[in-house]
């Protein structure tokens, strides 16, 4: 995993860039999820940065969804 800087208008945010979110360990997914949820709170819905954060959250937590189902 590497860090990437994402610029949205006047906001610059640092979000981790995950190569394969579905392969993130559960312990790491919990911590990363907190970060991505904070980013979703400040990013404008519909922007590429918002979509990246949202999609990464979904992919990282699919094993949890499957387990719950």
């Amino acid at each position: 995993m590497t860090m990437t800087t994402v610029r949205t208008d006047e906001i610059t945010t640092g979000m981790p860039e995950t190569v394969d979110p579905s392969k993130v360990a559960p312990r790491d997914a919990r911590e990363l999820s907190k970060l991505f949820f904070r980013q979703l709170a400040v990013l404008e819905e519909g922007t590429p940065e918002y979509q990246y954060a949202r999609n990464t959250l979904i992919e990282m937590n699919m094993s949890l969804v499957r387990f719950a189902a």
Side-chain angles (χ1 to χ4, degrees):
M1 176 174 30
T2 60
M3 289 294 285
T4 185
T5 301
V6 179
R7 179 156 178 82
T8 60
D9 295 328
E10 297 300 317
I11 303 170
T12 300
T13 58
M15 286 192 289
E17 181 178 320
T18 55
V19 176
D20 187 353
S22 66
K23 301 217 187 284
V24 174
R27 173 177 272 170
D28 295 332
R30 280 191 292 271
E31 291 303 313
L32 287 171
S33 290
K34 292 175 188 176
L35 173 67
F36 279 105
F37 277 118
R38 284 194 300 267
Q39 293 302 316
L40 286 177
V42 298
L43 293 170
E44 184 178 338
E45 192 172 343
T47 62
E49 295 80 15
Y50 184 94
Q51 293 300 321
Y52 171 75
R54 181 182 174 277
N55 292 341
T56 302
L57 271 168
I58 292 168
E59 290 179 42
M60 275 194 311
N61 292 291
M62 280 306 290
S63 62
L64 177 62
V65 171
R66 287 187 191 108
F67 177 78

